[in-house]
Amino acid sequence: MTLTAREVGIRFGATDALRGADIEIGEGELVAVMGPSGSGKSTLLHVLAGILRPDQGEIRLGDRRIDNLADSARSSLRLTSFGFVLQFGDLVPELSLRENVELPLRLLKVRRSETRARAAALLRELEVEEFADRRPGEVSGGQAQRAAVARALVHRPAVVFADEPTGALDSVAGELVLDALTGLARQQGSAVVMVTHEARVAAYADRTVFLRDGRVAA
């Protein structure tokens, strides 16, 4: 399902964070978004994901316009169609890795047996199954981030948004997370929009777009 932004603009006070930004992410495509600090990378991701509503322009997922949906409808869309991997994982600290991965399916009221099976399969695929019953604070950053990848993909979203997904990891752990994210996303046909400032991370994508001064430059 194609995700498209057309002439998107958003302002914070007197600052134009995005100015007429255009981008299209094809079904199953992996796109890296790069640019200098303050260029609007994270803002673009948040607008595409329906977290922020643009002041102008439009966002479409397939044939459906999503930027003008009510807050509740955009929240529902994020739960059903989008997955998220953030720089520090943002797992729920009180829950085990298994419970964190199961969380999207529980919120979607998927049958418990299917929820357990799908979470277990991803934890096994990502080689963190042996830590499944530990909490995020009891495992390494790389192990927690792989669990975050599992949580982002467990409900088979149309698009996964990754904001500096390896920024808090060393190079070895970062490569394991990127291999997991890109490999599993391709396997299940999820598109990935990945904000990064590192060329080695962008190399995992099919295509790189650059933001400068709130505009997509290439």
Side-chain angles (χ1 to χ4, degrees):
M1 191 178 299
T2 302
L3 179 64
T4 308
R6 289 285 178 261
E7 289 295 316
V8 168
I10 187 170
R11 172 175 284 195
F12 301 121
T15 302
D16 287 312
L18 294 174
R19 300 186 294 174
D22 294 309
I23 189 171
E24 182 172 304
I25 294 95
E27 184 172 351
E29 186 179 22
L30 275 63
V31 176
V33 180
M34 299 188 74
S37 179
S39 61
K41 301 186 299 297
S42 293
T43 300
L44 177 63
L45 186 147
H46 291 160
V47 168
L48 290 172
I51 296 169
L52 294 174
R53 192 194 300 270
D55 298 320
Q56 65 184 53
E58 63 179 47
I59 311 291
R60 290 186 179 272
L61 181 63
D63 295 328
R64 183 186 187 190
R65 185 171 175 179
I66 65 173
D67 61 281
N68 59 356
L69 296 174
D71 289 346
S72 59
R74 285 185 290 124
S75 293
S76 177
L77 182 72
R78 288 194 296 271
L79 177 60
T80 59
S81 300
F82 296 155
F84 298 87
V85 183
L86 305 179
Q87 181 173 349
F88 297 102
D90 283 3
L91 296 175
V92 180
E94 295 82 8
L95 301 180
S96 68
L97 299 190
R98 185 195 314 280
E99 290 167 334
N100 268 283
V101 176
E102 291 176 352
L103 190 56
L105 298 180
R106 291 190 178 186
L107 293 172
L108 290 168
K109 302 189 186 304
V110 174
R111 288 195 317 273
R112 183 170 179 79
S113 59
E114 183 177 352
T115 293
R116 295 300 296 266
R118 282 164 62 174
L122 277 174
L123 288 165
R124 184 166 54 252
E125 182 87 14
L126 291 164
E127 299 182 4
V128 287
E129 184 180 31
E130 65 181 291
F131 310 108
D133 294 317
R134 297 186 187 178
R135 294 178 181 178
E138 300 171 337
V139 299
S140 71
Q143 290 158 353
Q145 195 69 325
R146 276 182 277 163
V149 169
R151 184 183 62 180
L153 290 166
V154 71
H155 57 302
R156 298 165 188 161
V159 186
V160 174
F161 297 96
D163 195 350
E164 300 284 4
T166 64
L169 304 176
D170 62 40
S171 58
V172 174
E175 287 184 13
L176 288 172
V177 167
L178 286 169
D179 286 340
L181 173 60
T182 57
L184 286 170
R186 291 185 193 281
Q187 183 178 310
Q188 65 184 37
S190 297
V192 176
V193 183
M194 182 165 55
V195 166
T196 183
H197 65 279
E198 297 184 67
R200 68 175 185 86
V201 174
Y204 281 78
D206 300 316
R207 176 167 59 99
T208 300
V209 299
F210 295 89
L211 254 67
R212 288 188 176 85
D213 301 323
R215 298 183 185 274
V216 176

